[in-house]
């Protein structure tokens, strides 16, 4: 068998719209196709650039919606045709990741896959690669390895992983067992977790042998696993893929990988966690986007948008400009202004999570043109 | 001599841009050309409609900039050609009103003029007409008559008129002498004035015989009076008007009528004041516009704009929409959002007065396209 790192294959599920970033994120311009850090790269491209040095361009698979094929291919010219998996419609993370696993395990039975969201922001590439490397070795030892992020503040927007004993895995010295997953806490709990030191943020990064992932899925969702394996068997032959998708896709259950695999595996003692000391953010809403772009300094105003023209006086928060209009802010603190050609959002950091309710209201009123 | 009311002629100075209402008010779309109350009429048209019943369409003169001629004529189809006075460039209120007085006094030596800003909001037309009628009689008795508004709150945005003794003028039973004018006070003083009961808001409404106005102006600004009288003598002859404007206009001093006429006349005991019990607002900034359109209820959100599409959740203040964009507000209180095709303003009621500083900044940076 080849060394573990040579069997590693990255999977990038690029599915979510990012409703809490409306009206910047839209069905046809989801979060992962935006540059949210002013780096000049979309989040998807930055994810690719972070993973390509690990296994090379030929060992990255992207799972995305059919509607995003052209945008994804244009962002990732190095993406091989056989490594883009197009979803007939969105089916949540279990289908995206397990289908990739099932396709890849047919190409290489010993493949180790790592799944990394297309729309998170990470800095500290060396630390990231070091954590992935340890996770690959833990995966090679039979674990499903999560990379958990060392908390730097009492965040209430993330789930947590409670760390248990050291696992003493060769070449994965910081791998620990996982006691359990914890849902997003309130502030008091988040402060406890931070003080305790034994909790990591769940960054939804899972590294595992593909066969182990499918085996775990089979324990909790045997029908879903069977359907995915059947679909994967038809995938690589153009003659069989279409009919299989038509037949099987509509039956696939929508369930997050945390519930179908990660939490049950943790409970069964088959989950390892590697602490990641790199900076990570899932950019879940405009409050975190503001923080990310001001370095967390509350009095600063972040300005995103290539052609942004902002006149600000005694104002802080974030302006996202997708038009060429002049935007004047006077005396507004922690403000969120998102200016797009057909929709304008004005809120504050405090209410950033409620943006989703606007999206829901637009859905209900049939304003799909704005979604 | 004809009865006083038959000699009355309204003058509407329509000059100011209304910088504090930027980006709604612009050089080419000044405040008086906007409908700020959702009534369906521009402020100019509403002013006309309020004055026309007093002396008829043929007895209203409008003084405005050359650039606004077409807009004014389209708003006021009843305005006679000889009653539109076009300013070569803006010269403040003394020139606007005294030139109208000087032109009108040549047409009728006994004319009584009343000057009424084009961009104020008034409701209670019967009370308004009754105050004007008393003021006309006071003017006929030789006074310069101001209409002062009975304060309903300790406003800091207006100047005040301190009322003195009753004048006992026939058909002007509520006319009083004026002790003095008071500049915009701070809140403590405004509260004193309100409690005192002897102060009225200065609404910049002056009713006077035209010859009396010019005589008063001659006491304080003899050169300006002479220049205006000379210009007026050339005005009604197309052959002489142009050359006179070219020669005289650039020399005309910019000074507010309050300083050149009203305050000196008050000091000389030649000013009368008629208390007006009608509702009046000069709509000086977006805070007062918000108040005007919510009836002063702080928790309400005023929405202005024919095609405004606003989704608001737990928000108050004012949205002015001049585009067809959807505007979403979440959890923003006393907010001011003004959405126009080329400029967006976001501030709060508290900072509404500072909008002028944005306009100043745009001027300095040469962005005249936005002014």
């Amino acid at each position: 068998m080849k060394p573990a790192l040579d069997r590693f294959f990255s999977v990038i599920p690029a599915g979510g719209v990012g409703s809490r970033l409306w009206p910047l994120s839209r069905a046809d311009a989801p979060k992962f196709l935006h540059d949210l850090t002013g780096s000049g790269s979309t989040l998807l491209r930055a994810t690719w650039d972070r993973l390509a040095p690990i296994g090379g361009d030929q060992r990255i698979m992207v799972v995305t919606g059919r509607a995003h094929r052209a945008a994804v291919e244009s962002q990732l010219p190095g993406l091989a045709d056989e490594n883009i998996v197009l979803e007939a419609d969105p089916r949540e993370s279990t289908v995206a990741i397990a289908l990739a696993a099932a396709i890849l395990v047919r190409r290489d039975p010993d493949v180790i896959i790592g799944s990394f969201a297309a729309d998170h922001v990470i800095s500290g590439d060396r630390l990231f690669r070091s954590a992935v490397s340890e996770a690959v070795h833990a995966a090679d030892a039979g674990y499903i390895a999560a990379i958990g992020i060392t908390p730097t503040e009492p965040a209430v927007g993330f789930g947590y992983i409670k760390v248990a004993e050291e696992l003493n895995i060769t070449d994965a010295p910081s791998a620990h067992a996982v006691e359990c997953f914890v849902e997003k806490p309130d502030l008091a709990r988040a402060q406890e977790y931070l003080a305790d030191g034994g909790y990591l943020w769940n960054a939804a990064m899972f590294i595992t042998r593909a066969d182990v992932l499918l085996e775990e899925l089979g324990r909790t969702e045997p029908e879903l696993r069977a359907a995915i394996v059947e679909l994967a068997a038809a995938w690589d032959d153009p003659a069989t893929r279409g009919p299989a998708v038509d037949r099987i896709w509509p039956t696939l259950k929508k369930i997050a990988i945390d519930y179908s695999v990660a939490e049950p595996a943790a409970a069964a003692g088959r989950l390892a966690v590697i602490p990641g000391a790199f900076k990570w953010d899932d950019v879940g809403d405009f409050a975190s986007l503001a923080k990310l772009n001001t370095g967390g300094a509350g009095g600063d105003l972040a300005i995103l948008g290539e052609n942004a023209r902002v006149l600000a006086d005694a104002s802080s928060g974030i302006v996202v400009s997708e038009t060429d209009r002049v935007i004047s802010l006077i005396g507004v603190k922690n403000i969120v202004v998102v200016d797009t050609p057909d929709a304008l959002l004005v809120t504050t950091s405090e209410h950033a999570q409620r943006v989703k309710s606007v999206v829901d209201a637009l859905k209900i009123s049939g304003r799909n043109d704005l979604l």
Side-chain angles (χ1 to χ4, degrees), chain A residues 314-338:
Chain A
S315 297
S316 64
I318 185 165
V319 176
V320 184
S321 167
E322 298 228 298
T323 74
D324 58 1
R325 305 195 309 158
V326 162
I327 301 174
S328 293
L329 307 182
I330 304 173
V332 281
K333 304 292 188 185
N334 298 312
I335 198 81
V336 173
V337 175
V338 185

Side-chain angles (χ1 to χ4, degrees), chain A residues 45 48 57-58 72-80:
Chain A
R45 175 73 207 191
W48 173 277
D57 283 8
Q58 298 303 308
V72 166
E73 289 179 342
S74 136
Q75 281 292 308
L76 310 177
L79 177 63

Side-chain angles (χ1 to χ4, degrees), chain A residues 121-276:
Chain A
V121 170
I122 284 172
S123 55
D125 281 9
R126 206 183 49 77
L127 291 167
F128 171 76
R129 286 197 298 269
S130 151
V132 171
S133 168
E134 287 205 46
V136 168
H137 289 288
D140 194 37
Y143 289 96
I144 295 179
I147 297 178
I149 310 299
T150 311
T152 50
E153 57 177 332
V156 297
F158 306 140
Y160 285 70
I161 298 171
K162 184 159 170 39
V163 178
E165 74 283 2
E166 278 189 21
L167 288 174
N168 298 313
I169 299 169
T170 311
D171 293 326
S174 63
H176 285 69
V178 169
E179 186 170 320
C180 62
F181 282 77
V182 187
E183 297 285 324
K184 296 179 185 181
D186 60 20
L187 183 62
R189 280 205 173 199
Q191 286 167 333
E192 272 177 43
Y193 296 166
L194 182 65
D196 181 285
Y199 292 81
L200 300 170
W201 289 336
N202 177 13
M205 296 179 197
F206 297 108
I207 294 90
T208 171
R209 284 183 58 104
D211 56 0
V212 168
L213 178 84
L214 293 168
E215 188 188 320
E216 279 299 319
L217 180 62
R219 291 202 303 127
T220 59
E221 297 284 350
E223 286 178 26
L224 181 55
R225 175 189 176 279
I228 286 172
V229 166
E230 188 185 347
L231 183 55
W235 196 266
D236 279 340
D237 182 345
T240 55
R241 184 194 297 180
V245 168
D246 290 347
R247 191 178 74 253
I248 298 167
W249 198 271
T251 73
L252 297 175
K253 183 174 176 178
K254 295 182 180 183
I255 181 170
I257 191 109
D258 300 70
Y259 305 134
S260 65
V261 173
E263 294 182 11
R270 295 185 66 172
L271 202 90
V273 66
I274 313 293

Side-chain angles (χ1 to χ4, degrees), chain A residues 283-319:
Chain A
V283 205
D285 61 25
F286 285 113
S288 70
L289 187 58
K291 209 164 142 191
L292 193 67
N293 283 281
T294 56
D300 287 358
L301 180 69
I303 298 173
L304 281 184
E306 237 175 296
N307 303 309
R309 299 190 298 161
V310 177
L311 287 172
D313 178 16
S315 297
S316 64
I318 185 165
V319 176

